[in-house]
Amino acid sequence: DAGVIQSPRHEVTEMGQEVTLRCKPISGHNSLFWYRQTMMRGLELLIYFNNNVPIDDSGMPEDRFSAKMPNASFSTLKIQPSEPRDSAVYFCASWTLGKASSGANVLTFGAGSRLTVL
Amino acid sequence: AQSVSQHNHHVILSEAASLELGCNYSYGGTVNLFWYVQYPGQHLQLLLKYFSGDPLVKGIKGFEAEFIKSKFSFNLRKPSVQWSDTAEYFCAVNAGYSTLTFGKGTMLLVSP
């Protein structure tokens, strides 16, 4: 498996522009997570989906952030409009819940999308 | 709600020194425990995990961790660190089918 695939790896944009980050989870995983990592706040869970349904979006900073998962193999995190304080590395991760002996319950991270908002 | 506490934010060691990073969690029931490592500029990778059985868990690159249920601890150890172990280490816990709760991380710097 190619693992969790994120794009773009790097994005530099200007304040006010729309940013869309993309994620393809590991095939067969039924849960997908979006995290944000900064030096100041560390690793923060933004939102997660189970079977394509958003379960908990309490970590989403504000209405400028939105996430979708239209199918089991694709998710987007959108920021509109973007602000300099959104600069961070955004990680997508996935797992499947089940019996530990089957290899389930292990969260696998993508390589991340480094966002810089000028 | 579960929480994870990592005692040290920064640790500096010389090569060949022994390492122990502390991790305590708060949850009264059965838990799954993890250590993840993030090398500079990279993503989080699984170092080792504990679900059940032998409380001494061996992971990759010579790391091990011991689950002590009475102390709610899952400390990470390595007998002799290398410069290439310089990274940030995250302890994480979940219970049942809940999401992972991560600690704030410990930055390890190994000087050659």
Side-chain angles (χ1 to χ4, degrees), chain A residues 20-35:
Chain A
T20 299
L21 308 178
R22 298 172 178 80
C23 175
K24 176 178 167 48
I26 291 175
S27 177
H29 282 191
N30 57 14
S31 297
L32 181 143
F33 302 76
W34 283 102
Y35 287 88

mmCIF file with all atom_site columns, all heavy atoms in Angstrom, chain A residues 20-35:
data_model
loop_
_atom_site.group_PDB
_atom_site.id
_atom_site.type_symbol
_atom_site.label_atom_id
_atom_site.label_alt_id
_atom_site.label_comp_id
_atom_site.label_asym_id
_atom_site.label_entity_id
_atom_site.label_seq_id
_atom_site.pdbx_PDB_ins_code
_atom_site.Cartn_x
_atom_site.Cartn_y
_atom_site.Cartn_z
_atom_site.occupancy
_atom_site.B_iso_or_equiv
_atom_site.pdbx_formal_charge
_atom_site.auth_seq_id
_atom_site.auth_comp_id
_atom_site.auth_asym_id
_atom_site.auth_atom_id
_atom_site.pdbx_PDB_model_num
ATOM 1   N N   . THR A 1 20 ? -6.943  24.526 -0.561 1.00 0.00 ? 20 THR A N   1
ATOM 2   C CA  . THR A 1 20 ? -7.550  23.189 -0.482 1.00 0.00 ? 20 THR A CA  1
ATOM 3   C C   . THR A 1 20 ? -6.462  22.146 -0.344 1.00 0.00 ? 20 THR A C   1
ATOM 4   O O   . THR A 1 20 ? -5.574  22.044 -1.195 1.00 0.00 ? 20 THR A O   1
ATOM 5   C CB  . THR A 1 20 ? -8.402  22.888 -1.727 1.00 0.00 ? 20 THR A CB  1
ATOM 6   O OG1 . THR A 1 20 ? -9.453  23.843 -1.826 1.00 0.00 ? 20 THR A OG1 1
ATOM 7   C CG2 . THR A 1 20 ? -9.023  21.495 -1.606 1.00 0.00 ? 20 THR A CG2 1
ATOM 8   N N   . LEU A 1 21 ? -6.547  21.402 0.718  1.00 0.00 ? 21 LEU A N   1
ATOM 9   C CA  . LEU A 1 21 ? -5.611  20.306 0.961  1.00 0.00 ? 21 LEU A CA  1
ATOM 10  C C   . LEU A 1 21 ? -6.339  18.994 0.735  1.00 0.00 ? 21 LEU A C   1
ATOM 11  O O   . LEU A 1 21 ? -7.518  18.869 1.082  1.00 0.00 ? 21 LEU A O   1
ATOM 12  C CB  . LEU A 1 21 ? -5.068  20.376 2.394  1.00 0.00 ? 21 LEU A CB  1
ATOM 13  C CG  . LEU A 1 21 ? -4.483  21.723 2.818  1.00 0.00 ? 21 LEU A CG  1
ATOM 14  C CD1 . LEU A 1 21 ? -4.031  21.662 4.275  1.00 0.00 ? 21 LEU A CD1 1
ATOM 15  C CD2 . LEU A 1 21 ? -3.342  22.136 1.911  1.00 0.00 ? 21 LEU A CD2 1
ATOM 16  N N   . ARG A 1 22 ? -5.615  18.024 0.195  1.00 0.00 ? 22 ARG A N   1
ATOM 17  C CA  . ARG A 1 22 ? -6.244  16.773 -0.202 1.00 0.00 ? 22 ARG A CA  1
ATOM 18  C C   . ARG A 1 22 ? -5.606  15.581 0.473  1.00 0.00 ? 22 ARG A C   1
ATOM 19  O O   . ARG A 1 22 ? -4.410  15.599 0.784  1.00 0.00 ? 22 ARG A O   1
ATOM 20  C CB  . ARG A 1 22 ? -6.166  16.616 -1.723 1.00 0.00 ? 22 ARG A CB  1
ATOM 21  C CG  . ARG A 1 22 ? -6.897  17.713 -2.479 1.00 0.00 ? 22 ARG A CG  1
ATOM 22  C CD  . ARG A 1 22 ? -6.640  17.656 -3.963 1.00 0.00 ? 22 ARG A CD  1
ATOM 23  N NE  . ARG A 1 22 ? -7.382  18.699 -4.673 1.00 0.00 ? 22 ARG A NE  1
ATOM 24  C CZ  . ARG A 1 22 ? -6.996  19.967 -4.750 1.00 0.00 ? 22 ARG A CZ  1
ATOM 25  N NH1 . ARG A 1 22 ? -5.874  20.358 -4.177 1.00 0.00 ? 22 ARG A NH1 1
ATOM 26  N NH2 . ARG A 1 22 ? -7.744  20.842 -5.417 1.00 0.00 ? 22 ARG A NH2 1
ATOM 27  N N   . CYS A 1 23 ? -6.403  14.555 0.652  1.00 0.00 ? 23 CYS A N   1
ATOM 28  C CA  . CYS A 1 23 ? -5.904  13.361 1.329  1.00 0.00 ? 23 CYS A CA  1
ATOM 29  C C   . CYS A 1 23 ? -6.572  12.114 0.775  1.00 0.00 ? 23 CYS A C   1
ATOM 30  O O   . CYS A 1 23 ? -7.783  12.071 0.580  1.00 0.00 ? 23 CYS A O   1
ATOM 31  C CB  . CYS A 1 23 ? -6.172  13.444 2.832  1.00 0.00 ? 23 CYS A CB  1
ATOM 32  S SG  . CYS A 1 23 ? -5.712  11.956 3.757  1.00 0.00 ? 23 CYS A SG  1
ATOM 33  N N   . LYS A 1 24 ? -5.745  11.109 0.547  1.00 0.00 ? 24 LYS A N   1
ATOM 34  C CA  . LYS A 1 24 ? -6.249  9.788  0.171  1.00 0.00 ? 24 LYS A CA  1
ATOM 35  C C   . LYS A 1 24 ? -5.838  8.822  1.268  1.00 0.00 ? 24 LYS A C   1
ATOM 36  O O   . LYS A 1 24 ? -4.645  8.569  1.469  1.00 0.00 ? 24 LYS A O   1
ATOM 37  C CB  . LYS A 1 24 ? -5.655  9.356  -1.169 1.00 0.00 ? 24 LYS A CB  1
ATOM 38  C CG  . LYS A 1 24 ? -6.046  7.946  -1.603 1.00 0.00 ? 24 LYS A CG  1
ATOM 39  C CD  . LYS A 1 24 ? -5.444  7.626  -2.960 1.00 0.00 ? 24 LYS A CD  1
ATOM 40  C CE  . LYS A 1 24 ? -5.512  6.155  -3.309 1.00 0.00 ? 24 LYS A CE  1
ATOM 41  N NZ  . LYS A 1 24 ? -6.824  5.556  -3.091 1.00 0.00 ? 24 LYS A NZ  1
ATOM 42  N N   . PRO A 1 25 ? -6.782  8.279  2.011  1.00 0.00 ? 25 PRO A N   1
ATOM 43  C CA  . PRO A 1 25 ? -6.417  7.373  3.106  1.00 0.00 ? 25 PRO A CA  1
ATOM 44  C C   . PRO A 1 25 ? -5.990  6.007  2.576  1.00 0.00 ? 25 PRO A C   1
ATOM 45  O O   . PRO A 1 25 ? -6.115  5.720  1.380  1.00 0.00 ? 25 PRO A O   1
ATOM 46  C CB  . PRO A 1 25 ? -7.726  7.262  3.900  1.00 0.00 ? 25 PRO A CB  1
ATOM 47  C CG  . PRO A 1 25 ? -8.797  7.465  2.868  1.00 0.00 ? 25 PRO A CG  1
ATOM 48  C CD  . PRO A 1 25 ? -8.232  8.454  1.890  1.00 0.00 ? 25 PRO A CD  1
ATOM 49  N N   . ILE A 1 26 ? -5.491  5.206  3.476  1.00 0.00 ? 26 ILE A N   1
ATOM 50  C CA  . ILE A 1 26 ? -5.131  3.840  3.119  1.00 0.00 ? 26 ILE A CA  1
ATOM 51  C C   . ILE A 1 26 ? -6.401  3.064  2.768  1.00 0.00 ? 26 ILE A C   1
ATOM 52  O O   . ILE A 1 26 ? -7.407  3.171  3.478  1.00 0.00 ? 26 ILE A O   1
ATOM 53  C CB  . ILE A 1 26 ? -4.362  3.158  4.266  1.00 0.00 ? 26 ILE A CB  1
ATOM 54  C CG1 . ILE A 1 26 ? -2.973  3.802  4.414  1.00 0.00 ? 26 ILE A CG1 1
ATOM 55  C CG2 . ILE A 1 26 ? -4.243  1.663  4.060  1.00 0.00 ? 26 ILE A CG2 1
ATOM 56  C CD1 . ILE A 1 26 ? -2.169  3.309  5.586  1.00 0.00 ? 26 ILE A CD1 1
ATOM 57  N N   . SER A 1 27 ? -6.341  2.337  1.693  1.00 0.00 ? 27 SER A N   1
ATOM 58  C CA  . SER A 1 27 ? -7.496  1.568  1.250  1.00 0.00 ? 27 SER A CA  1
ATOM 59  C C   . SER A 1 27 ? -7.942  0.598  2.338  1.00 0.00 ? 27 SER A C   1
ATOM 60  O O   . SER A 1 27 ? -7.120  -0.130 2.911  1.00 0.00 ? 27 SER A O   1
ATOM 61  C CB  . SER A 1 27 ? -7.129  0.787  -0.018 1.00 0.00 ? 27 SER A CB  1
ATOM 62  O OG  . SER A 1 27 ? -8.203  -0.024 -0.433 1.00 0.00 ? 27 SER A OG  1
ATOM 63  N N   . GLY A 1 28 ? -9.247  0.644  2.631  1.00 0.00 ? 28 GLY A N   1
ATOM 64  C CA  . GLY A 1 28 ? -9.787  -0.247 3.659  1.00 0.00 ? 28 GLY A CA  1
ATOM 65  C C   . GLY A 1 28 ? -9.899  0.391  5.030  1.00 0.00 ? 28 GLY A C   1
ATOM 66  O O   . GLY A 1 28 ? -10.611 -0.122 5.892  1.00 0.00 ? 28 GLY A O   1
ATOM 67  N N   . HIS A 1 29 ? -9.211  1.506  5.224  1.00 0.00 ? 29 HIS A N   1
ATOM 68  C CA  . HIS A 1 29 ? -9.353  2.215  6.494  1.00 0.00 ? 29 HIS A CA  1
ATOM 69  C C   . HIS A 1 29 ? -10.695 2.939  6.512  1.00 0.00 ? 29 HIS A C   1
ATOM 70  O O   . HIS A 1 29 ? -11.100 3.549  5.519  1.00 0.00 ? 29 HIS A O   1
ATOM 71  C CB  . HIS A 1 29 ? -8.221  3.220  6.685  1.00 0.00 ? 29 HIS A CB  1
ATOM 72  C CG  . HIS A 1 29 ? -6.946  2.569  7.126  1.00 0.00 ? 29 HIS A CG  1
ATOM 73  N ND1 . HIS A 1 29 ? -5.869  3.316  7.559  1.00 0.00 ? 29 HIS A ND1 1
ATOM 74  C CD2 . HIS A 1 29 ? -6.580  1.269  7.230  1.00 0.00 ? 29 HIS A CD2 1
ATOM 75  C CE1 . HIS A 1 29 ? -4.885  2.490  7.910  1.00 0.00 ? 29 HIS A CE1 1
ATOM 76  N NE2 . HIS A 1 29 ? -5.299  1.245  7.708  1.00 0.00 ? 29 HIS A NE2 1
ATOM 77  N N   . ASN A 1 30 ? -11.373 2.893  7.660  1.00 0.00 ? 30 ASN A N   1
ATOM 78  C CA  . ASN A 1 30 ? -12.712 3.477  7.702  1.00 0.00 ? 30 ASN A CA  1
ATOM 79  C C   . ASN A 1 30 ? -12.783 4.774  8.493  1.00 0.00 ? 30 ASN A C   1
ATOM 80  O O   . ASN A 1 30 ? -13.864 5.341  8.658  1.00 0.00 ? 30 ASN A O   1
ATOM 81  C CB  . ASN A 1 30 ? -13.726 2.468  8.252  1.00 0.00 ? 30 ASN A CB  1
ATOM 82  C CG  . ASN A 1 30 ? -13.350 1.951  9.620  1.00 0.00 ? 30 ASN A CG  1
ATOM 83  O OD1 . ASN A 1 30 ? -12.479 2.505  10.280 1.00 0.00 ? 30 ASN A OD1 1
ATOM 84  N ND2 . ASN A 1 30 ? -14.004 0.889  10.043 1.00 0.00 ? 30 ASN A ND2 1
ATOM 85  N N   . SER A 1 31 ? -11.652 5.223  9.013  1.00 0.00 ? 31 SER A N   1
ATOM 86  C CA  . SER A 1 31 ? -11.640 6.501  9.732  1.00 0.00 ? 31 SER A CA  1
ATOM 87  C C   . SER A 1 31 ? -10.518 7.369  9.203  1.00 0.00 ? 31 SER A C   1
ATOM 88  O O   . SER A 1 31 ? -9.423  6.879  8.938  1.00 0.00 ? 31 SER A O   1
ATOM 89  C CB  . SER A 1 31 ? -11.434 6.290  11.239 1.00 0.00 ? 31 SER A CB  1
ATOM 90  O OG  . SER A 1 31 ? -12.502 5.568  11.793 1.00 0.00 ? 31 SER A OG  1
ATOM 91  N N   . LEU A 1 32 ? -10.816 8.658  9.095  1.00 0.00 ? 32 LEU A N   1
ATOM 92  C CA  . LEU A 1 32 ? -9.828  9.611  8.580  1.00 0.00 ? 32 LEU A CA  1
ATOM 93  C C   . LEU A 1 32 ? -9.791  10.808 9.496  1.00 0.00 ? 32 LEU A C   1
ATOM 94  O O   . LEU A 1 32 ? -10.817 11.291 9.966  1.00 0.00 ? 32 LEU A O   1
ATOM 95  C CB  . LEU A 1 32 ? -10.198 10.047 7.156  1.00 0.00 ? 32 LEU A CB  1
ATOM 96  C CG  . LEU A 1 32 ? -9.237  11.023 6.466  1.00 0.00 ? 32 LEU A CG  1
ATOM 97  C CD1 . LEU A 1 32 ? -9.120  10.686 4.980  1.00 0.00 ? 32 LEU A CD1 1
ATOM 98  C CD2 . LEU A 1 32 ? -9.667  12.451 6.661  1.00 0.00 ? 32 LEU A CD2 1
ATOM 99  N N   . PHE A 1 33 ? -8.575  11.298 9.740  1.00 0.00 ? 33 PHE A N   1
ATOM 100 C CA  . PHE A 1 33 ? -8.348  12.391 10.683 1.00 0.00 ? 33 PHE A CA  1
ATOM 101 C C   . PHE A 1 33 ? -7.549  13.507 10.005 1.00 0.00 ? 33 PHE A C   1
ATOM 102 O O   . PHE A 1 33 ? -6.642  13.240 9.223  1.00 0.00 ? 33 PHE A O   1
ATOM 103 C CB  . PHE A 1 33 ? -7.528  11.893 11.886 1.00 0.00 ? 33 PHE A CB  1
ATOM 104 C CG  . PHE A 1 33 ? -8.148  10.752 12.638 1.00 0.00 ? 33 PHE A CG  1
ATOM 105 C CD1 . PHE A 1 33 ? -8.113  9.461  12.129 1.00 0.00 ? 33 PHE A CD1 1
ATOM 106 C CD2 . PHE A 1 33 ? -8.777  10.961 13.852 1.00 0.00 ? 33 PHE A CD2 1
ATOM 107 C CE1 . PHE A 1 33 ? -8.677  8.391  12.812 1.00 0.00 ? 33 PHE A CE1 1
ATOM 108 C CE2 . PHE A 1 33 ? -9.345  9.910  14.548 1.00 0.00 ? 33 PHE A CE2 1
ATOM 109 C CZ  . PHE A 1 33 ? -9.296  8.630  14.034 1.00 0.00 ? 33 PHE A CZ  1
ATOM 110 N N   . TRP A 1 34 ? -7.876  14.727 10.355 1.00 0.00 ? 34 TRP A N   1
ATOM 111 C CA  . TRP A 1 34 ? -7.069  15.884 9.968  1.00 0.00 ? 34 TRP A CA  1
ATOM 112 C C   . TRP A 1 34 ? -6.477  16.515 11.218 1.00 0.00 ? 34 TRP A C   1
ATOM 113 O O   . TRP A 1 34 ? -7.198  16.838 12.167 1.00 0.00 ? 34 TRP A O   1
ATOM 114 C CB  . TRP A 1 34 ? -7.912  16.933 9.229  1.00 0.00 ? 34 TRP A CB  1
ATOM 115 C CG  . TRP A 1 34 ? -8.212  16.609 7.804  1.00 0.00 ? 34 TRP A CG  1
ATOM 116 C CD1 . TRP A 1 34 ? -9.379  16.114 7.290  1.00 0.00 ? 34 TRP A CD1 1
ATOM 117 C CD2 . TRP A 1 34 ? -7.344  16.795 6.681  1.00 0.00 ? 34 TRP A CD2 1
ATOM 118 N NE1 . TRP A 1 34 ? -9.283  15.965 5.929  1.00 0.00 ? 34 TRP A NE1 1
ATOM 119 C CE2 . TRP A 1 34 ? -8.035  16.376 5.528  1.00 0.00 ? 34 TRP A CE2 1
ATOM 120 C CE3 . TRP A 1 34 ? -6.039  17.268 6.530  1.00 0.00 ? 34 TRP A CE3 1
ATOM 121 C CZ2 . TRP A 1 34 ? -7.482  16.423 4.248  1.00 0.00 ? 34 TRP A CZ2 1
ATOM 122 C CZ3 . TRP A 1 34 ? -5.485  17.312 5.255  1.00 0.00 ? 34 TRP A CZ3 1
ATOM 123 C CH2 . TRP A 1 34 ? -6.204  16.888 4.133  1.00 0.00 ? 34 TRP A CH2 1
ATOM 124 N N   . TYR A 1 35 ? -5.150  16.668 11.215 1.00 0.00 ? 35 TYR A N   1
ATOM 125 C CA  . TYR A 1 35 ? -4.423  17.306 12.310 1.00 0.00 ? 35 TYR A CA  1
ATOM 126 C C   . TYR A 1 35 ? -3.697  18.542 11.784 1.00 0.00 ? 35 TYR A C   1
ATOM 127 O O   . TYR A 1 35 ? -3.341  18.623 10.613 1.00 0.00 ? 35 TYR A O   1
ATOM 128 C CB  . TYR A 1 35 ? -3.363  16.361 12.893 1.00 0.00 ? 35 TYR A CB  1
ATOM 129 C CG  . TYR A 1 35 ? -3.883  15.222 13.715 1.00 0.00 ? 35 TYR A CG  1
ATOM 130 C CD1 . TYR A 1 35 ? -4.236  14.016 13.117 1.00 0.00 ? 35 TYR A CD1 1
ATOM 131 C CD2 . TYR A 1 35 ? -3.995  15.322 15.097 1.00 0.00 ? 35 TYR A CD2 1
ATOM 132 C CE1 . TYR A 1 35 ? -4.697  12.947 13.871 1.00 0.00 ? 35 TYR A CE1 1
ATOM 133 C CE2 . TYR A 1 35 ? -4.446  14.259 15.860 1.00 0.00 ? 35 TYR A CE2 1
ATOM 134 C CZ  . TYR A 1 35 ? -4.794  13.070 15.234 1.00 0.00 ? 35 TYR A CZ  1
ATOM 135 O OH  . TYR A 1 35 ? -5.244  12.024 15.986 1.00 0.00 ? 35 TYR A OH  1
#
